[in-house]
Amino acid sequence: MQDKISRLNALYSYWSQCTRCPLANERKNVVFGYGHPSAPVLIIGEAPGGHEDECGNPFVGDAGLLLDQYLAMVSANPEVRAVAGDKENFNPKLLRDLLRNEYFFTNIAACHPPENRDPNLKEIEACMPRVRELIYLIDPVIILAVGKIALTSLTGKKALSITQVRGNLFDIEIPGRTVPLHYTVMALLHTSYLCRMNDFKQDTSLGAKTYEDFMRAHRILDEYNKHHFGIDIPKRGIPRGQ
Ligand code: SF4
């Protein structure tokens, strides 16, 4: 683990000085990402927004909070569920701090595109070696691609419609030290899109479907842990009617 942390720190040091694409010119911070060095679930969004650029952390603001709430809803960790469920004294920072111990959060592009535009292909290509190296080092069981840019950048399939393929699994290949390595990616709707749509009430809403996607991703993790380590499948999710 110490070796992995050292290599992640070296990766951070390298990319925090990066000028490989024009996004370096106007950024305030390189939003490298953070989380557990061996996170079984790696969460990859699109690019930092203005808030992320200011603070240097990924997935902040309303979209980040919604992401954290989904993760809390499917969490097997009672502490995470308790913090998320404490409506009177809800502490979003504490929730994220707990989630950082279980997940790794990053984006396809580490620098904020001006006017909150999408990163272009050249910018994505410039930053993808960082993403691939993160995948290689963290070695997650499953990668959650949050939004179309993340999905198409990881899979290389430009024509995918995220609303049509959300919840689907994709196999991606990254270079290994000697042979290519394969990882499973799940497509998810971006939480900023879900915030804008505000469609959460019905069982058939985009919000409800996304909850099912988060559950399925974590069930894949549970099955993996049971198969490889004999760990019992934990209870997850919110009981029907709540
Ligand atoms: S977006 Fe990525 S490639 Fe471009 S300057 Fe930032 S760290 Fe470098």
Side-chain angles (χ1 to χ4, degrees), residues 108-109 119-129 149 152-153 158:
I108 291 293
N120 63 38
L121 274 182
K122 284 198 168 162
E123 292 156 357
I124 289 170
E125 276 171 20
C127 220
M128 277 304 288
I149 300 263
T152 56
S153 304
K158 303 295 175 215

Side-chain angles (χ1 to χ4, degrees), residues 15 18 20-21 23-24 27 110-111 126-127:
W15 287 91
C18 175
R20 287 168 59 103
C21 85
L23 294 183
R27 72 174 179 230
C111 301
C127 220

Side-chain angles (χ1 to χ4, degrees), residues 86-120:
D86 186 351
K87 300 235 173 350
E88 282 189 13
N89 300 302
F90 177 60
N91 183 339
K93 182 178 177 308
L94 176 58
L95 178 58
R96 176 57 67 90
D97 285 347
L98 290 171
L99 292 170
R100 280 176 65 170
N101 290 328
E102 298 183 28
Y103 299 88
F104 198 99
F105 301 82
T106 191
N107 285 300
I108 291 293
C111 301
H112 171 52
E115 317 288 329
N116 270 343
R117 66 166 171 78
D118 292 340
N120 63 38

